């Protein structure tokens, strides 16, 4: 893991004193962020892990909005909105930025990638400079979800970029997760910064990455690869699926 501060985002802080007792301010992870005085982001890749509902997506979307991204995803000049589900967190987050600006950027949430793909098609059809070539030349709607996502990271992502990704593994086979891992390794080497929510033990193996685990109490603890929850659980399961299932299904 890196001890140098993030190149583009160094710290995330919550403006103190704002808690109306409702989502997203009632989430343990958000309360912890407020109490702790801030979360430092190191250089390279930072993973957020934690159970479903721990607040990973809320945090990543909050950072994205505070950084000027469209809440539903895309690059910072995407401005479409299909649903009014943006949480208020981003309006109350303060980012400490590095001195440099990213050369490129992208916010991707697996849940709304379809809408990002539609926006890419719309921009391309609207005239002006074609955007499709930057995404591999084929409309994301004409590729499988996994293929179009790999097109995105292969062609559209580049050196010295800032990338916020929410469960990028959602569309990917294990083989494709390995391809993504290799591409992230290359982009980090070229000075990019990533913040990624994931459940994928494969992605977590990215060398040099920092893994932050959100606990049930909302604290964020740095863990190494072998201690990270998705890795431990997957490993336990694969070691003895039969025994695991016997416990789980209580089949005696
Ligand atoms: N728009 C919303 N309104 C109210 N509660 C929400 C909303 N979105 C998420 N939540 C709640 O916040 C919690 C954290 O959600 P989320 O950030 O999506 O978790 P994760 O990504 O870690 O699975 C969940 O328990 C969920 O019920
Ligand atoms: Mg989520």
């Amino acid at each position: 893991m890196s001890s140098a501060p993030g190149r583009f985002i160094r710290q995330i802080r919550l403006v103190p004193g704002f808690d109306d007792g409702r989502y997203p301010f009632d989430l343990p992870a958000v309360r912890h962020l407020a109490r702790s005085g801030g979360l430092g982001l190191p250089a390279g890749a930072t993973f957020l892990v934690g159970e479903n509902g721990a607040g990973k997506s809320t945090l990543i979307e909050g950072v994205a909005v505070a950084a000027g991204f469209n809440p539903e995803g895309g690059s910072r000049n995407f401005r479409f909105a299909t649903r009014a589900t943006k949480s208020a967190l981003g309006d109350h987050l303060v980012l400490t930025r590095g001195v440099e600006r990213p050369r490129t950027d992208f916010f991707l949430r697996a849940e709304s990638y379809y809408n990002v793909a539609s926006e890419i098609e719309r921009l391309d059809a609207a005239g002006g400079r074609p955007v499709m070539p930057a995404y591999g030349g084929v409309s994301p709607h004409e590729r499988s979800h996994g293929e179009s996502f790999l097109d995105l990271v292969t062609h559209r992502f580049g050196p010295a970029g800032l990338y916020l990704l929410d469960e990028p593994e959602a569309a990917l086979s294990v083989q494709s997760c390995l391809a993504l891992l290799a591409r992230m390794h290359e982009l980090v080497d070229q000075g990019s910064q990533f913040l990624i929510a994931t459940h994928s033990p494969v992605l977590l193996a990215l060398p040099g990455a920092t893994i932050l685990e959100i606990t049930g109490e909302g604290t964020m603890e740095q863990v190494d690869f072998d201690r990270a929850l998705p890795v431990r659980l997957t490993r336990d399961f694969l070691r003895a699926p039969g025994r695991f299932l016997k416990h789980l299904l209580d089949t005696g």
Side-chain angles (χ1 to χ4, degrees):
M1 76 209 78
S2 172
S3 51
R7 185 170 181 185
F8 306 118
I9 302 178
R10 297 175 168 212
Q11 204 210 30
I12 305 163
R13 233 166 359 101
L14 194 60
V15 178
F18 190 88
D19 182 349
D20 58 5
R22 292 189 315 198
Y23 175 81
F25 302 99
D26 62 336
L27 294 181
V30 174
R31 291 224 157 108
H32 178 260
L33 186 65
R35 273 199 310 271
S36 67
L39 175 68
L41 289 190
T46 304
F47 288 109
L48 290 181
V49 299
E51 274 310 323
N52 289 131
K56 303 178 296 299
S57 296
T58 304
L59 285 173
I60 296 221
E61 183 203 281
V63 173
V65 168
F69 287 90
N70 186 41
E72 289 190 47
S75 67
R76 273 187 304 159
N77 44 21
F78 279 43
R79 280 287 161 262
F80 68 92
T82 54
R83 298 181 64 190
T85 54
K86 174 174 97 90
S87 89
L89 186 62
D91 301 335
H92 298 270
L93 283 182
V94 178
L95 306 181
T96 307
R97 294 169 186 267
V99 280
E100 293 172 87
R101 293 270 145 173
R103 222 183 284 165
T104 183
D105 49 44
F106 212 89
F107 167 40
L108 178 118
R109 39 193 322 174
E111 296 163 3
S112 55
Y113 186 59
Y114 181 90
N115 299 331
V116 171
S118 298
E119 180 65 5
I120 292 168
E121 274 197 348
R122 195 192 64 76
L123 286 171
D124 212 59
R129 198 165 62 88
V131 295
M132 210 79 87
Y135 293 85
V138 184
S139 165
H141 283 312
E142 288 163 25
R143 303 276 272 159
S144 81
H145 187 183
E147 287 172 326
S148 66
F149 181 66
L150 284 184
D151 282 345
L152 178 74
V153 298
T154 306
H155 302 289
R156 170 62 183 75
F157 287 16
L162 170 65
Y163 305 108
L164 308 178
L165 311 179
D166 192 1
E167 297 191 25
E169 72 273 17
L172 301 179
S173 69
V174 174
Q175 185 67 38
S176 295
C177 278
L178 288 166
L180 173 59
L181 186 153
R183 179 66 176 143
M184 288 198 307
H185 188 252
E186 181 177 56
L187 289 165
V188 167
D189 244 22
Q190 297 167 338
S192 295
Q193 184 179 5
F194 285 87
L195 178 62
I196 308 164
T198 191
H199 298 293
S200 167
V202 174
L203 294 185
L204 290 173
L206 181 70
T210 300
I211 305 174
L212 300 175
E213 190 160 296
I214 305 179
T215 64
E217 293 76 47
T219 60
M220 286 174 222
E221 291 167 11
Q222 191 169 326
V223 293
D224 60 23
F225 175 76
D226 288 298
R227 268 191 56 212
L229 196 65
V231 177
R232 279 191 288 134
L233 255 181
T234 308
R235 208 172 247 159
D236 284 355
F237 179 75
L238 291 179
R239 199 175 277 140
R243 204 171 59 205
F244 207 96
L245 285 177
K246 201 165 141 195
H247 278 289
L248 186 69
L249 307 178
D250 196 27
T251 51

